[in-house]
Amino acid sequence: MVFSEMGDRKVKAYRSVLDYEWLEREKIKICPTCFATDGYYHKDQCLWCYTSCYIHQCLLVDTCPQCQSVWNWDELKNDWKCKCGWQFGETLVTKIKQEENDLSEVVARSCKLTEGKSTSLSSKSPLSDLSLSQISLLMISTALSLHNPGDSLYRLQLPLTNRKLHKLLSKSAQIYETGTSNLSYFIEWFDRFYRVEYKRFGQRKNHLQKLSLVATFRRKLEDLHLK
Ligand SMILES: [Zn+2]
Ligand SMILES: [Zn+2]
């Protein structure tokens, strides 16, 4: 774990308290250009909702281009090479459109990584006032709502590959780009609601409890957009 543990499956990162599930804890994803340029791993790249590099405007890579295996933290012991021998830093990058990079810029800004750097994101993005923990909670809830329509009991899942997750998260973030005066109220409400539920059920929320959280979120989100 690259961040300091706080117990109760939470870590402290960038002045926010994050749940375990808002981090990639098994697989590793990297920006090949950052890695080749700086020669070290950027720990912000293990944030779950950070799927593209805000500096190089490309997808993070989690799968080996040579043997197709998903990279995990064991590869660290192997001097940043895949078990097939592929060097992480030599991976070709996939460029993405500017608007698909907005969420990563919002995340980087909330982590204060962008200070002194020029970014193309408008400072008026409604998401840019949120803390990292609020962004993470909002994005995971929105992604679950979009990806599992119809309250299906059996499909409370999110895409596992970074490429697919990136598409879903770009779509999730764009929902909020239109701006609504009720957004900050909505997020504060959901943040509080989530904490209360969290206290009631603890970290090991079961499937039904998670589903009811997502359903409540979706109803509130629909109300928000009707106003
Ligand atoms: Zn990069
Ligand atoms: Zn490989």
Side-chain angles (χ1 to χ4, degrees), residues 13-127:
Y14 305 107
R15 291 167 302 280
S16 270
V17 175
L18 305 182
D19 290 1
Y20 265 18
E21 42 199 32
W22 303 340
L23 301 164
E24 291 290 359
R25 288 174 301 120
E26 274 158 33
K27 78 172 180 190
I28 194 165
K29 49 184 181 171
I30 58 152
C31 166
T33 311
C34 280
F35 189 75
T37 315
D38 303 331
Y40 60 86
Y41 173 70
H42 292 236
K43 60 185 180 181
D44 47 298
Q45 292 173 3
C46 80
L47 298 172
W48 177 83
C49 59
Y50 189 81
T51 51
S52 61
C53 174
Y54 83 97
I55 303 168
H56 299 107
Q57 209 180 314
C58 62
L59 282 178
L60 298 187
V61 181
D62 60 354
T63 308
C64 178
Q66 185 164 270
C67 74
Q68 311 305 320
S69 64
V70 175
W71 288 333
N72 62 48
W73 288 96
D74 289 342
E75 257 91 39
L76 281 182
K77 296 176 205 141
N78 198 16
D79 202 19
W80 296 96
K81 285 196 292 259
C82 179
K83 48 185 169 295
C84 74
W86 183 269
Q87 306 261 6
F88 280 21
E90 287 176 5
T91 310
L92 282 179
V93 296
T94 307
K95 287 279 181 188
I96 54 171
K97 293 190 199 119
Q98 179 52 51
E99 63 268 26
E100 283 186 22
N101 207 29
D102 283 354
L103 178 60
S104 286
E105 286 206 10
V106 166
V107 171
R109 189 179 291 187
S110 83
C111 298
K112 303 264 189 288
L113 301 172
T114 53
E115 278 170 2
K117 295 186 181 123
S118 70
T119 59
S120 51
L121 184 73
S122 142
S123 57
K124 286 193 179 61
S125 166
L127 300 177

Side-chain angles (χ1 to χ4, degrees), residues 105-227:
E105 286 206 10
V106 166
V107 171
R109 189 179 291 187
S110 83
C111 298
K112 303 264 189 288
L113 301 172
T114 53
E115 278 170 2
K117 295 186 181 123
S118 70
T119 59
S120 51
L121 184 73
S122 142
S123 57
K124 286 193 179 61
S125 166
L127 300 177
S128 56
D129 296 328
L130 304 181
S131 71
L132 181 57
S133 109
Q134 288 176 319
I135 296 168
S136 307
L137 177 60
L138 183 66
M139 284 302 119
I140 203 159
S141 310
T142 312
L144 279 166
S145 292
L146 290 183
H147 195 58
N148 299 283
D151 291 339
S152 160
L153 274 177
Y154 303 103
R155 294 196 57 241
L156 197 53
Q157 290 162 1
L158 288 165
L160 293 177
T161 64
N162 188 67
R163 187 177 287 271
K164 285 185 181 153
L165 183 61
H166 175 77
K167 277 227 158 354
L168 177 62
L169 284 178
S170 302
K171 217 159 79 181
S172 304
Q174 273 160 22
I175 287 186
Y176 302 99
E177 287 302 325
T178 48
T180 156
S181 54
N182 297 316
L183 183 64
S184 57
Y185 166 78
F186 168 71
I187 289 162
E188 270 166 36
W189 167 81
F190 191 67
D191 209 12
R192 253 193 335 265
F193 177 78
Y194 180 81
R195 301 287 150 214
V196 171
E197 290 288 298
Y198 201 97
K199 279 206 186 97
R200 268 175 64 203
F201 298 118
Q203 176 68 36
R204 282 169 189 76
K205 291 187 289 295
N206 70 29
H207 197 67
L208 271 174
Q209 288 154 355
K210 274 192 187 167
L211 198 77
S212 104
L213 265 174
V214 173
T216 309
F217 176 85
R218 188 187 294 135
R219 274 197 304 279
K220 279 277 173 181
L221 186 63
E222 282 161 8
D223 289 350
L224 177 80
H225 284 278
L226 286 175
K227 284 185 182 120

